[in-house]
Amino acid sequence: MAEAEDALRTLAHNVRAARTRAGLSLDELGRRAKVSKGALVGLEKAQGNPNFATLVRLADTLGVSVSALMEGPAEGRVRVVTAGAVMPLWTGERGSEARLMLTTSGPAPVEVWRWQLTPGDAYPSHPHQAGVVETVSVTVGEMILEVDGVEHLVEAGQTATFDGNTRHTYRGSGTETCHLIMTVHLPPGPAGTL
């Protein structure tokens, strides 16, 4: 429980700092990110439990990575992250999950995600900011990647890439759980990290 409270306090601090740096009022951030002012006030007070879609919309609006909103300061030159130590940011109705493992530092950060998609489970994503590029590398099973209404089968051993500024959906297919690594390449800019 203490870990969740610490994570929420870190998120609250990082959202407030990014909003202040961007020169946005709570009203303006809420309007742009399509998040209620009440939810933002609660979030900045370390109250509530924002869902994954809300975090993505806030990060996109603020021009930062999702993990830049969630992580505390870097602890050293090498960071090793164990999947079991990271809470899923999304869970599907059939047991799917997505875990944000880490985000690289620098002017063009990259988020590294571990996904498990059970057959039939799907995650529809809204378009990201211009310049975001995503890749999915399937290690076990198969998935359907739908980008701008067109479906693409991606099987174990295959990698797909696409511009993330259009609607896209990840869907488990086949008969076994699909395991994949997703990277989100954020555009260069000073707002990439906090």
Side-chain angles (χ1 to χ4, degrees):
M1 185 63 122
E3 278 184 25
E5 291 171 1
D6 288 344
L8 192 54
R9 279 193 295 276
T10 298
L11 176 63
H13 172 269
N14 291 344
V15 168
R16 188 173 38 256
R19 180 180 62 79
T20 300
R21 205 170 33 258
L24 298 175
S25 66
L26 285 166
D27 287 324
E28 184 62 14
L29 176 57
R31 185 187 67 74
R32 291 183 186 184
K34 296 181 175 98
V35 176
S36 75
K37 181 179 178 181
L40 287 174
V41 168
L43 178 59
E44 288 194 5
K45 290 182 176 180
Q47 300 169 346
N49 185 19
N51 65 31
F52 178 55
T54 298
L55 292 176
V56 171
R57 286 195 310 272
L58 287 171
D60 282 348
T61 302
L62 293 167
V64 299
S65 67
V66 172
S67 63
L69 293 179
M70 300 180 63
E71 292 179 348
E75 296 179 8
R77 292 176 63 128
V78 175
R79 201 170 14 152
V80 177
V81 181
T82 303
V86 178
M87 295 297 297
L89 287 179
W90 171 77
T91 53
E93 294 177 2
R94 299 178 182 183
S96 297
E97 64 180 33
R99 296 173 190 257
L100 176 57
M101 300 303 295
L102 59 87
T103 300
T104 63
S105 58
V110 176
E111 296 177 349
V112 179
W113 294 79
R114 284 187 177 270
W115 284 72
Q116 293 180 17
L117 289 170
T118 56
D121 231 346
Y123 177 77
S125 179
H126 74 286
H128 301 296
Q129 63 182 317
V132 170
V133 175
E134 294 193 23
T135 64
V136 291
S137 295
V138 175
T139 58
V140 175
E142 62 184 47
M143 67 173 289
I144 300 293
L145 170 64
E146 182 179 327
V147 178
D148 212 15
V150 178
E151 292 186 352
H152 307 271
L153 176 65
V154 186
E155 300 173 300
Q158 295 181 324
T159 298
T161 187
F162 61 96
D163 292 332
N165 63 344
T166 187
R167 288 201 161 284
H168 49 282
T169 299
Y170 309 108
R171 184 178 309 109
S173 68
T175 58
E176 65 181 317
T177 299
C178 176
H179 294 259
L180 63 107
I181 303 295
M182 179 182 75
T183 58
V184 179
H185 303 258
L186 302 166
T193 57
L194 293 176

